[in-house]
Amino acid sequence: MLGALALILICTARADAYDIFEDQGGDNCAQCHGGFRDSPYMSPRDGSNWGDDLHDVHRNTMMGGDCATCHSGGDFTPVFLNQSNGGMGLDPIACVGCHGRADDRGVTPGDCASQSSTGVCGDGAGLRQHHDNAGVGVCGGCHLDADPGSFMPVGEDVLPPHYFTPDQDHPDKPTDPCNPAPGFPEDYAGTTLGLDNDGDSVYDAVDPDCAAATPTPTASPSPTPTVGPTPTPAPTPTAGPTPTPTPTPAPTPTPAPTPTAGPTPTPTPTPAPTPTPAPTPTAGPTPTPTPTPAATPTPAPTATPAPTPPPGPAGTVAMCRIRRHGAQETVLVRNERVAAKLARGLTLGECQFPANGPVMCFLDRKGNLKNIIVPQRRVTKMLGRGATLGECGADPL
């Protein structure tokens, strides 16, 4: 299944970014996830046997032998995570075509871990935050978006670029990040668990971002009408003889008498009255206009700036956001971005019923306070490692 590339094991951190899955020494992603050509692949998550290696499951089972989906160059090497020749009808973005989302994409090269990169940057933010939330901070050494407190990936239900349909060239590729039953379109081997696309440690259809499946209504059979008795036709009436009408003579009109014209009377003209001239008005003194005083404008009140929340000592502040379908999710926001998140509708403090777990305060290996969001099942373990519930306070632990 695709989830194998998102499996998290505690591994030795490196200082540079992973631009390929496996180098010649078996390092990079392979040091935790196993070799891409190791056959048969044994899942580190549940020990299941895939029956083939990761390479051929991806190439043959998922992508129908379209090697250019992930490979680049004339000899198909090296194999980058974010750029390739591009398969048939697919963007030339290699692994992040399925393991990232274009909605999280930044600008190349400004938002890239390497300023010499020519591939897309930012698509894998959810995958990196999955590592960070699981306690593997290897990505955060180069990628700022690996920290859930500095970047908010789009939800689990947002499709990766290669998940589009229809696609006659790759009919067996994954198509739904929510991985709903019974088809489990993100599952190809091992268990039915797919990818944690947004990195919040909540998988597939269980993630609140994924809408519940709508049941298909069952069509009700139409009732069969009951046939009634056939009515007896009425008898046809017998036609009688048609009577011959007798014509009635029209009366002859009597002409009216012609009137005799009388003498035409001569009209007597009526003399018009002589108009009386109106008296000439006497001009009075011209009134002097009284000037109207100009209104004094009322100064507009000065807006009072919204209070700025105090900065968190760990560099981040817990805020609550409401995801689609009403689910609550606590996120950690860098101090300098709190005002912008407030403008987007987030509220200060942890959510009352967060779907992704509570905030805990942890002292890292360098002695720095760090706010972390911990899934509920791992709270006891983190308490045993010295973490405390709630945001980091002003005083050291």
Side-chain angles (χ1 to χ4, degrees), residues 295-332:
T296 303
T298 304
T302 304
T304 303
T308 303
T316 58
V317 175
M319 302 189 74
C320 181
R321 69 174 176 179
I322 307 300
R323 300 293 293 269
R324 299 179 187 179
H325 322 301
Q328 299 180 11
E329 182 177 70
T330 301
V331 294
L332 297 174

Side-chain angles (χ1 to χ4, degrees), residues 256-262:
T258 303
T260 304

